[in-house]
């Protein structure tokens, strides 16, 4: 597991062994895309669960849309740069990483939370409906303002190397019944009942869930959007209560994550590792 530290008012330390030997052959790979303004360790406990289960796991910070870099956040280009970031990550892991020989390139999965969920759907074939967004968004800055000014964006990158995915509370702004029909690969879908920043009150993502074809494995969690982030330490909860406070207040995030991580690992095993655990 990689070492990492990010300052967001509190220190988030990931403890691990840098450059430790990688053993095994034909191992499945899962790449992670964080949410708006997040970082590569936002779902670190889920990443750890997959790594401990025998998966190679890779995650990056999306340039311009992280906790410490907001230069592209809430702009039109970020809708295209995020999928392109993940294509570059996958290229690196399969072509340039020093231990690339241990990866089975036919066993690649994707995990995306919030705006990372959109990122995954785009990579899986969805073309964002910016015309719909331009018609319905009311903001006078950021993406909405750029669309109202006539700016456009090419269709985002797709990547057929991704064989399956876990999509968690995806940002719904550019998702429609029509463009979701383009997603044909199997995936597991999670949504929060009460929603939160970027996903509304839970209703927009529930609507997206109703549009999905192919009967993906569906989960609804009686909590808010941030419940999918790794459980916080007391120090983190005091420093960044916005992402550490759950709805309802009595929701047991740590207990939920034990079930969530087990379900994610099981799904990827079934899809990428033939069900062997």
């Amino acid at each position: 597991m990689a070492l990492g530290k990010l300052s967001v008012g509190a220190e988030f330390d990931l403890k691990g062994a840098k450059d430790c030997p990688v053993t095994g052959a034909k191992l499945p790979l899962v790449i992670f895309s964080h949410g708006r303004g997040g970082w590569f360790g936002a779902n670190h406990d889920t990443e750890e669960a997959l790594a401990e289960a025998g998966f190679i796991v890779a995650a990056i910070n999306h340039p311009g849309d992280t906790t410490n870099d907001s230069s592209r956040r809430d702009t039109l280009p970020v809708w295209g740069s995020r999928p392109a970031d993940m294509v570059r990550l996958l290229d690196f892991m399969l072509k340039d990483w020093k231990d690339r020989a241990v990866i089975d390139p036919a066993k690649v999965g994707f995990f995306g939370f919030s705006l990372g969920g959109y990122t995954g759907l785009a990579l899986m074939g969805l073309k964002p409906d910016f015309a719909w967004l331009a018609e319905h968004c009311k903001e006078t800055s950021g993406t909405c303002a750029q669309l109202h000014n006539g700016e456009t964006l090419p269709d985002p990158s797709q990547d057929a190397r991704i064989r399956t995915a876990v999509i968690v509370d995806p940002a719904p702004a550019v998702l429609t019944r029509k463009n979701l029909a383009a997603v044909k690969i199997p995936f597991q879908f999670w949504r929060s009942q009460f929603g939160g920043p970027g996903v509304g009150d839970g209703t927009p993502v529930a609507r997206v869930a109703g549009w999905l074809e192919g009967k993906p494995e569906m989960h609804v969690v009686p909590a808010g959007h941030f419940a999918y982030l790794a459980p916080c330490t007391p120090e983190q909860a005091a420093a960044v209560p916005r992402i550490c406070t759950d709805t309802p207040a009595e929701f047991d995030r740590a207990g939920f994550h034990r079930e969530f991580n087990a379900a994610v690992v099981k799904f990827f095993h079934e899809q990428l590792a033939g069900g062997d655990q």
Side-chain angles (χ1 to χ4, degrees):
M1 182 179 133
L3 295 171
K5 179 179 286 190
L6 197 70
S7 176
V8 290
E11 296 292 346
F12 287 73
D13 291 324
L14 303 184
K15 296 180 180 179
K18 186 178 181 181
D19 298 326
C20 62
V22 179
T23 58
K26 294 188 177 300
L27 300 177
L29 166 68
V30 179
I31 57 176
F32 272 66
S33 177
H34 63 73
R36 172 186 176 275
W39 69 299
F40 71 85
N43 300 99
H44 66 82
D45 65 315
T46 307
E47 295 163 351
E48 292 164 16
L50 284 164
E52 290 171 356
F55 292 81
I56 300 293
V57 179
I60 58 169
N61 286 341
H62 285 286
D65 186 25
T66 68
T67 302
N68 293 338
D69 177 7
S70 61
S71 57
R72 293 182 182 174
R73 192 178 306 164
D74 301 326
T75 67
L76 184 60
V78 80
W79 297 92
S81 64
R82 278 175 149 269
D85 295 340
M86 301 312 291
V87 172
R88 286 194 295 271
L89 172 60
L90 192 48
D91 284 343
F92 171 78
M93 295 300 295
L94 297 180
K95 299 176 182 179
D96 300 314
W97 183 45
K98 66 181 181 63
D99 290 311
R100 61 191 178 276
V102 305
I103 299 174
D104 186 339
K107 296 179 178 179
V108 176
F110 176 94
F111 179 104
F113 166 68
S114 195
L115 196 52
Y118 151 78
T119 304
L121 291 169
L123 289 165
M124 295 152 63
L126 178 142
K127 297 179 180 180
D129 192 337
F130 290 119
W132 185 95
L133 181 59
E135 181 181 348
H136 290 86
C137 65
K138 308 300 182 184
E139 286 87 354
T140 57
S141 62
T143 297
C144 288
Q146 291 171 301
L147 290 172
H148 292 154
N149 288 336
E151 296 183 39
T152 61
L153 190 73
D155 289 336
S157 301
Q158 299 179 13
D159 202 314
R161 294 171 295 183
I162 296 172
R163 303 303 177 89
T164 190
V166 172
I167 303 298
V168 181
D169 242 13
V174 295
L175 309 183
T176 65
R177 184 190 299 274
K178 182 178 179 180
N179 63 17
L180 284 164
V183 178
K184 302 298 184 183
I185 69 172
F187 63 98
Q188 184 184 67
F189 188 88
W190 294 77
R191 68 177 179 88
S192 61
Q193 182 177 346
F194 304 120
V199 296
D201 62 0
T203 303
V205 182
R207 185 181 306 117
V208 169
W211 291 335
L212 297 175
E213 299 181 357
K215 296 182 178 180
E217 182 183 319
M218 193 80 64
H219 299 266
V220 183
V221 177
H225 186 56
F226 291 135
Y228 292 106
L229 299 178
C232 297
T233 66
E235 293 76 16
Q236 292 162 0
V240 281
R242 186 176 71 93
I243 65 171
C244 295
T245 302
D246 287 306
T247 303
E250 63 272 16
F251 181 78
D252 180 4
R253 189 185 297 195
F256 161 62
H257 272 249
R258 288 191 289 272
E259 299 176 2
F260 174 60
N261 293 341
V264 169
V265 169
K266 181 176 183 291
F267 177 79
F268 278 129
H269 266 300
E270 292 172 347
Q271 296 295 323
L272 299 176
D276 298 329
Q277 297 193 47

